[in-house]
Amino acid sequence: MKNLCIAVVIAASSVLSVSAQNTNPQRDVQLGVKGGVNFSTITGDDFNDLDSRTSFNAGFVAEIPVTNRFSIQPEVFYSGQGFDIREIDQDNVFDNDQNIEYQLDYIQVPVLAKLYLVDGLSIEVGPQFGFKVNEEIDTKPNSDGGDTSISSENSAVKDFETSIAGGVSYKFASGFFISGRYTYGLTNLFDDDSLLKNVDAKNAVAQIGVGFMF
C-alpha cells in the first residue's frame, strides 16, 4: 500500500505541474483508462533460454497538451512481469529442475513525451518508475510442488526500478486508442547486498493494449 501511495503521488504531481503550464488552451487535459497484455522476461549475460511470462497490465492514463502535436502523458498502472523457466532449460543462474513461473509484479509510473506524427498517430518515450508489489514463484501444472510467495525480507530483488519506455499509439476521435510499447530496465534487478548482486539482470517487457480517453 505504501508503494501504491507513492506512485499515485508521483503521477498526480506530474499532472498538476504540467497542467498548470499548459500553453494550449484549445486542447483540454484528458483522463482515461487502459489495459492490455504483457510479454515479460529479464535480460542479462547470466540468463539463457528464459521464456517470457504472459500477464496483463491495467490502470490510468492522462494526456496533458503542450502544443497541438506535443503532450505529456503520465500513467499509473499495475504490471504483471517476470519470466518462465522450462525444466529442459537449466542453463541459468537459478539452476532449476522444474517448470516455474517467476512473478514480479509492479505498480509502474511512466511519464512520457508524446509526439503526434499525424492526427491520431503518435510516438511516446520517457522514463518509467516501478514499485514492486508482489514476488512469487509458481510451479507449472506438470511439476510437483506449490506456489511460494517471497516477502521483502527474503527477497533478493529490489523494491524499486527505473526503466525507459517507448512505443506507438493511435487514438480515434471517439477517445478509444490502441498502443504498443516496449520497456527496458535501466537498473540492475538484484539488491547490492544480496548473493546475486553481481548478476546482470534487467526487466524487459513488451506490451499491447487498448484504452479510452474521456
Side-chain angles (χ1 to χ4, degrees), residues 74-116:
E75 305 176 6
V76 178
F77 61 90
Y78 177 90
S79 181
Q81 299 176 200
F83 55 92
D84 286 355
I85 305 177
R86 295 176 296 172
E87 182 178 356
I88 60 173
D89 295 328
Q90 299 183 39
D91 185 18
N92 57 71
V93 69
F94 294 98
D95 194 26
N96 65 292
D97 57 1
Q98 291 182 320
N99 296 325
I100 67 171
E101 180 180 74
Y102 204 114
Q103 299 180 3
L104 288 170
D105 302 329
Y106 293 84
I107 296 297
Q108 295 286 7
V109 185
V111 181
L112 306 177
K114 184 171 187 175
L115 177 65
Y116 283 91

Side-chain angles (χ1 to χ4, degrees), residues 102 132 134-135 149-159 191 193-195:
Y102 204 114
K132 189 183 69 175
N134 180 60
E135 183 177 356
S149 294
I150 302 174
S151 66
S152 297
E153 293 77 14
N154 297 322
S155 174
V157 177
K158 293 177 180 176
D159 291 331
D191 281 324
D193 58 355
S194 74
L195 295 177

Side-chain angles (χ1 to χ4, degrees), residues 15-30:
V15 171
L16 293 175
S17 174
V18 180
S19 181
Q21 302 175 37
N22 185 6
T23 60
N24 186 22
Q26 295 182 350
R27 290 180 61 203
D28 295 329
V29 173
Q30 290 185 298

Side-chain angles (χ1 to χ4, degrees):
M1 182 61 68
K2 179 180 178 181
N3 288 339
L4 178 58
C5 291
I6 294 173
V8 171
V9 168
I10 291 175
S13 299
S14 300
V15 171
L16 293 175
S17 174
V18 180
S19 181
Q21 302 175 37
N22 185 6
T23 60
N24 186 22
Q26 295 182 350
R27 290 180 61 203
D28 295 329
V29 173
Q30 290 185 298
L31 302 178
V33 294
K34 58 172 287 185
V37 180
N38 282 359
F39 304 97
S40 64
T41 186
I42 59 175
T43 63
D45 296 336
D46 298 298
F47 295 91
N48 297 309
D49 299 317
L50 292 181
D51 289 347
S52 63
R53 178 195 176 198
T54 302
S55 187
F56 72 96
N57 65 83
F60 303 96
V61 57
E63 183 174 345
I64 306 162
V66 178
T67 70
N68 283 332
R69 291 194 176 275
F70 179 72
S71 301
I72 301 297
Q73 183 167 294
E75 305 176 6
V76 178
F77 61 90
Y78 177 90
S79 181
Q81 299 176 200
F83 55 92
D84 286 355
I85 305 177
R86 295 176 296 172
E87 182 178 356
I88 60 173
D89 295 328
Q90 299 183 39
D91 185 18
N92 57 71
V93 69
F94 294 98
D95 194 26
N96 65 292
D97 57 1
Q98 291 182 320
N99 296 325
I100 67 171
E101 180 180 74
Y102 204 114
Q103 299 180 3
L104 288 170
D105 302 329
Y106 293 84
I107 296 297
Q108 295 286 7
V109 185
V111 181
L112 306 177
K114 184 171 187 175
L115 177 65
Y116 283 91
L117 303 178
V118 296
D119 287 346
L121 180 64
S122 63
I123 55 174
E124 306 156 357
V125 64
Q128 178 171 284
F129 310 98
F131 303 84
K132 189 183 69 175
V133 294
N134 180 60
E135 183 177 356
E136 185 175 312
I137 298 175
D138 289 356
T139 59
K140 296 295 186 178
N142 61 337
S143 297
D144 296 328
D147 301 338
T148 303
S149 294
I150 302 174
S151 66
S152 297
E153 293 77 14
N154 297 322
S155 174
V157 177
K158 293 177 180 176
D159 291 331
F160 176 79
E161 68 149 8
T162 57
S163 305
I164 185 72
V168 61
S169 68
Y170 188 88
K171 183 170 66 175
F172 297 88
S174 63
F176 175 80
F177 66 87
I178 57 176
S179 66
R181 185 180 300 172
Y182 184 80
T183 63
Y184 184 79
L186 299 177
T187 55
N188 196 49
L189 196 64
F190 298 114
D191 281 324
D192 295 335
D193 58 355
S194 74
L195 295 177
L196 300 175
K197 63 181 180 180
N198 294 321
V199 174
D200 178 29
K202 295 179 175 65
N203 278 314
V205 186
Q207 299 175 333
I208 300 173
V210 299
F212 187 81
M213 289 284 196
F214 299 97

